[in-house]
Amino acid sequence: MIKKPLFTAEEFQVAFGALTSLRSWLDAPLIFDKTKIPARTPPVAIDNFPLMPSLQGQLTLLDQRFPDDGNLEQRSAALLKVRQYFPDDQKAEFFVELNLAEIAWNQDRTQPAIDRLLKLLNSAASDAVDDEEIAWAEYVLAFCYRDMGNLDKAKQLFKEVAENAEVSDFRRGWAGYQRLSLLKGEEDPDYGKLAAETNALLDFET
């Protein structure tokens, strides 16, 4: 039995007032302002993109139904589906990451694109990805560096692709062309020679 009072008369009045205020607050209805709740972005819906028997068939279907000059959000969602369909395929993973980086670049998210491409190129398995695909990633990375104002890195990457004998004339030629476009206005003694080599690769008349 408690015989000693826990509160003095003054302390009791203060405590009773605080308890009354708390009860009033608890009894008040809680109202949510829906305008202040951030809306959840719904996932992008993609239809008619079933699993195909092979990766090449899947990528063909991807380009047919979600081309890179179409809806980029839908293409991104379809690329994630490719990863889901072929989870252990390193070639599929390279293709997905490269295309997602290219989409980021096209959406002016250049630094995230660079980060993605550097990680991709550092981890690419040579036995799963060929020189043409590596060159494509380097080509896109060069454009990203160009847009970020790092022209030295851009020119170096375009140069490496243009001089890679294991890469198609098409890819080498356009890499050379982009390199030349960055050299214009500079006093480069090799400009004429590089222009002739690039024209030959692209089958242009000199």
Side-chain angles (χ1 to χ4, degrees):
M1 179 180 296
I2 300 176
K3 295 182 179 180
K4 186 177 180 179
L6 298 178
F7 300 102
T8 65
E10 293 79 7
E11 292 172 337
F12 176 78
Q13 290 180 350
V14 174
F16 183 76
L19 180 60
T20 302
S21 298
L22 178 61
R23 284 178 175 171
S24 298
W25 181 79
L26 291 173
D27 290 338
L30 185 60
I31 301 175
F32 288 101
D33 185 353
K34 294 182 179 180
T35 62
K36 296 182 179 180
I37 300 176
R40 180 177 296 178
T41 303
V44 177
I46 54 172
D47 299 319
N48 300 320
F49 194 57
L51 173 63
M52 301 298 286
S54 68
L55 174 61
Q56 188 55 54
Q58 198 73 51
L59 300 183
T60 299
L61 184 64
L62 170 77
D63 287 333
Q64 288 175 347
R65 295 185 177 171
F66 308 100
D68 56 11
D69 59 350
N71 186 313
L72 296 182
E73 297 301 328
Q74 288 187 342
R75 183 172 174 86
S76 295
L79 285 165
L80 296 179
K81 274 286 188 183
V82 173
R83 173 182 284 160
Q84 178 183 331
Y85 288 153
F86 301 88
D88 301 319
D89 192 313
Q90 294 183 18
K91 193 178 186 71
E93 180 64 17
F94 187 91
F95 182 90
V96 168
E97 281 297 303
L98 173 53
N99 275 264
L100 289 174
E102 191 169 358
I103 287 172
W105 171 56
N106 284 323
Q107 294 176 330
D108 295 325
R109 294 184 290 114
T110 308
Q111 188 58 56
I114 290 175
D115 295 340
R116 198 163 207 147
L117 287 165
L118 289 175
K119 182 179 179 181
L120 177 64
L121 288 167
N122 287 333
S123 62
S126 59
D127 58 339
V129 184
D130 60 31
D131 290 322
E132 190 75 16
E133 292 162 325
I134 294 291
W136 178 20
E138 292 173 337
Y139 186 72
V140 176
L141 181 57
F143 278 112
C144 292
Y145 280 135
R146 182 204 65 182
D147 291 354
M148 293 290 282
N150 196 333
L151 300 186
D152 288 339
K153 283 189 176 181
K155 285 185 287 188
Q156 181 60 33
L157 278 170
F158 284 135
K159 178 177 184 292
E160 290 175 4
V161 175
E163 295 179 352
N164 188 346
E166 302 301 319
V167 177
S168 68
D169 288 353
F170 174 84
R171 183 67 62 201
R172 291 177 62 200
W174 280 109
Y177 176 84
Q178 295 300 334
R179 181 189 175 201
L180 286 170
S181 69
L182 297 179
L183 291 175
K184 282 186 176 180
E186 297 182 10
E187 294 183 2
D188 192 319
D190 295 327
Y191 186 89
K193 177 184 177 183
L194 292 173
E197 292 174 350
T198 299
N199 289 337
L201 289 169
L202 293 175
D203 200 22
F204 291 161
E205 291 185 4
T206 56

